[in-house]
Amino acid sequence: MRYAYAITGALLLSGTAATMIYQPQASAQTAQNEPGAIQAAAPKAGAPMSFADMVAKLQPAVVNISTKQTIVQPQQANPFQGTPFGDLFGGAQGGAPVKREGASLGSGFLISHDGYVVTNAHVISPGARGATVNSIAVTLSNNKEYVARVIGQDRESDLALLKIDATGLPFVRFGDSGGARVGDWVLAIGEPFGLGGTVTAGIISAINRVTGQGGAYDRFIQTDASINQGNSGGPMFDLNGNVIGVNSQIFSQSGGNIGIGFAIPAATAKPIIETFMKGGTISRGYLGVTLGGAIGDDQAAALGIAKNQGELIAGVEPSGPAAKAGLRAGDVVTKVNGVAVTPDSTLSYLVSNVKPGQTARLDVLRNGRPTTLSATVVARPAADKLAALVNGGSDDGGFGKDGDDDDSPAAITPATGNVLGLVVQPLTPGIARAVGVDAQTQGVVIAAVDPGSDAAQKLKRGDVVSAVNSTPVRTQAELTAAVNAAKAAGRPQVLLLVQRASPVKAFVPVKIK
């Protein structure tokens, strides 16, 4: 996924297209495209034959945003120090840090006559390691340039609000993105690759699109409009000229447009921008859990529940709201305050919209049985702190390398007869240190894997298994008993809560032999 640094165009708006009129089905057996069921008709009243008049009204409110940056990079040590060639490469330490100028280019749009400008947070952020943003400039369509100051920015939603000192400016308003439908025409104006005043058009390809970036705001309007680098921060307009999205990202394997672009819905952007205009800060709800992902086919088969309903909990912060409410690793949260958790309405998204201090009622499946928990959410930590919670190293699967404990596996029983093809042993503090997990972690560590098992494709020696289908396991006997219970219930596979390196945890579906 790539950011599109500029005001992005939105979608293909062609007034010559025929309008489809859908007739009711004659019966349940009638094909959707039965002859006569769909009839072409003239465009609806008000549909433009050209976008020229619309663009003439909207274009003055779209602006160019550029930054000037200073990038300081340390020089590498001189590999030829102490040789006759040492002086040719900057001296003993490779020379002083190198300072150079940098810049970024993006787009935005005016939302008030007195100079409030909306854009993406990444448009005004440092563009490289060691970079500092020195100034931000906003250039209007009439080429007048103003120095901008930042009123507010939010990395999580990728939104920012700027202010320039001017009055009597043209501006546009946010519209209702909730009424947008797949197939609706949209229009965008921006400056891709620094080309000023570029208008693009297309249709809405999808709504509530989850791009896999994670976080509370991974829900976008997808469009086939041409969106490229330099388009970030620009508006996506509907046919009435309302801003229904803020163009933000593109999916591309080459860096150029391939017809898959994404805009932040106005329903998400508008309340954040209004909060900034009032001088407020953004605060979101937080449970304190590590997510194990949505319920796919394998997870559903292992747990005996419907797929695409709910999300697995992989871990719970010991002192967080979830732990205080009684939530456990292996639980499946299916609803938050009565709203279903789905791939389109994720647990992160729903919880983030609960104000800190308020109670979130969680509908939970635990070992297949429904229960209800109440958690008082707290304020969501900053993005960098959240990132630190999911970063971890890797291990080589070895045991007993620290020399403090005799924790190497003794006689390894063949794994071929095991129900999963796994031989495990209790996790001791010494083994925990050797495989890179926290010493307080509880579970069993894999000592051997049957090469012919499904587990061999997914697990390795040194992986730590904490639970089987949310049942904690601490010995080989407990693991076997949990797997046998799932097998007796007719489950073709089980979900193992696996930890490879602190604090990374994941649910791994493994077929029962």
Side-chain angles (χ1 to χ4, degrees), residues 289-324:
V289 297
T290 302
L291 297 179
I295 306 299
D297 290 331
D298 291 340
Q299 291 84 354
L303 298 173
I305 61 178
K307 69 175 183 178
N308 293 329
Q309 295 183 17
E311 284 192 57
L312 278 162
I313 302 299
V316 179
E317 293 180 13
S319 59
K324 294 176 181 178

Side-chain angles (χ1 to χ4, degrees), residues 125-139:
S125 298
R129 185 183 297 274
T132 301
V133 176
N134 299 321
S135 63
I136 304 171
V138 170
T139 305

Side-chain angles (χ1 to χ4, degrees), residues 294-364:
I295 306 299
D297 290 331
D298 291 340
Q299 291 84 354
L303 298 173
I305 61 178
K307 69 175 183 178
N308 293 329
Q309 295 183 17
E311 284 192 57
L312 278 162
I313 302 299
V316 179
E317 293 180 13
S319 59
K324 294 176 181 178
L327 203 64
R328 304 174 187 170
D331 285 348
V332 177
V333 180
T334 59
K335 291 183 180 180
V336 177
N337 289 336
V339 180
V341 177
T342 68
D344 289 339
S345 294
T346 63
L347 181 59
S348 289
Y349 175 78
L350 294 175
V351 171
S352 70
N353 284 286
V354 179
K355 292 183 179 180
Q358 292 186 348
T359 298
R361 190 182 74 255
L362 308 176
D363 287 10
V364 175

